[in-house]
Amino acid sequence: MSELAQKIYINWYCTHTWRRAAYNTMWCLIGCSIGDFGTIAFFQFIWTDSGWSTMAIMMLAIMNGLLTSIALETVILLKQLPFKDSLRTAMGMSFISMVAMEAAMNITDVVLTGGAMLTPEVIIPMLIAGFVTPWPYNYWRLKKYGVSCH
């Protein structure tokens, strides 16, 4: 293997790192789901005649999911870091992961329900899509940089 190949090669068979990436992804999923599901539920059950399009509701759900995930991760990181560092770390380390997660969850919702709706049949597939989509990225990030949010 060339020197360059050795620098960019990542071992994708490390079970310890897959478990750690799964743990990090789980915390991200919890945070994202709170804001995402809360927003969709608000428009579905409380403000039913809002006039908002499915796309507008989904975009707001994604934004709220990102915000609640950052907030949860910041709180978790406060055990190790001061507030400013916790917030910066939460925003920087897993933002790509959170965006991918949110997109996967909301695409799954629209494909299965035809809109921004929470039904018993869609929640589990949304959570599975939200978990599986960023998990390899989180593994790669841990392997490449040794960076972990939790």
Side-chain angles (χ1 to χ4, degrees), residues 119-145:
T119 65
E121 298 82 23
V122 78
I123 291 173
I124 297 298
M126 284 176 72
L127 292 171
I128 291 170
F131 180 84
V132 170
T133 300
W135 190 17
Y137 172 79
N138 292 338
Y139 177 96
W140 171 80
R141 189 151 177 101
L142 279 169
K143 267 303 188 199
K144 179 142 179 87
Y145 300 110

Side-chain angles (χ1 to χ4, degrees), residues 19-70:
R19 278 193 298 266
R20 185 65 188 178
Y23 181 77
N24 292 352
T25 304
M26 176 202 65
W27 279 109
C28 187
L29 182 64
I30 290 168
C32 283
S33 297
I34 291 168
D36 195 305
F37 289 172
T39 301
I40 294 169
F42 174 78
F43 281 95
Q44 183 176 347
F45 301 117
I46 297 172
W47 198 14
T48 56
D49 60 349
S50 69
W52 283 44
S53 69
T54 297
M55 182 60 80
I57 294 170
M58 289 299 185
M59 296 310 292
L60 183 61
I62 288 170
M63 292 300 300
N64 287 338
L66 294 172
L67 291 172
T68 54
S69 186
I70 290 168

